[in-house]
């Protein structure tokens, strides 16, 4: 019967030691987890900032492309008009 009590005592002591080690490990890992969470938040803010800047650049690029297309059309229209005017003058001479 004493063996049963010793076995139960050993199991209880083992369970207590296991619980103690789990709590100790949690206390040791908490600062590291907090640092990782802070670093993750900082990285996420950086990614959000880059995405915002990328969107702004895409919008600016679209505006520039439209402006270039408008100016190109205006320039080509001016050149064509000048060519027609020169041809008319050459015909009337």
């Amino acid at each position: 019967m004493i063996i049963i009590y010793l076995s139960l005592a050993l199991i209880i002591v083992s369970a207590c030691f296991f619980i103690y080690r789990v709590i100790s490990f949690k206390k040791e890992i908490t600062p590291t987890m907090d640092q990782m969470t802070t670093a993750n938040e900082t990285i996420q803010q950086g990614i959000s900032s880059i995405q915002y800047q990328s969107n702004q650049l895409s919008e600016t690029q679209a505006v520039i492309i439209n402006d270039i297309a408008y100016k190109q059309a205006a320039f080509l229209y001016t050149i064509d008009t000048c060519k027609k005017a020169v041809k008319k003058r050459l015909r009337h001479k």
Side-chain angles (χ1 to χ4, degrees), residues 3-28:
I3 294 176
I4 294 174
Y5 291 128
L6 287 175
S7 297
L8 281 174
L10 183 63
I11 291 172
I12 291 171
V13 169
S14 298
C16 290
F17 182 74
F18 177 74
I19 291 170
Y20 169 76
R21 289 302 301 155
V22 167
I23 291 171
S24 296
F25 180 73
K26 185 181 181 309
K27 286 182 182 178
E28 290 175 10

Side-chain angles (χ1 to χ4, degrees), residues 7 34 62-63:
S7 297
D34 291 342
V63 169

Side-chain angles (χ1 to χ4, degrees), residues 49-63:
S49 174
I50 290 170
Q51 286 175 339
Y52 175 77
Q53 291 174 359
S54 175
N55 290 340
Q56 292 296 320
L57 287 173
S58 294
E59 290 174 9
T60 303
Q61 181 183 18
V63 169

Side-chain angles (χ1 to χ4, degrees), residues 19 48 58 66 80 88:
I19 291 170
S48 297
S58 294
N66 289 338
D80 287 342
K88 282 183 183 178

Side-chain angles (χ1 to χ4, degrees), residues 25-41:
F25 180 73
K26 185 181 181 309
K27 286 182 182 178
E28 290 175 10
I29 200 168
T30 298
T32 305
M33 292 300 291
D34 291 342
Q35 289 176 351
M36 289 176 63
T37 301
T38 303
N40 188 24
E41 289 171 355

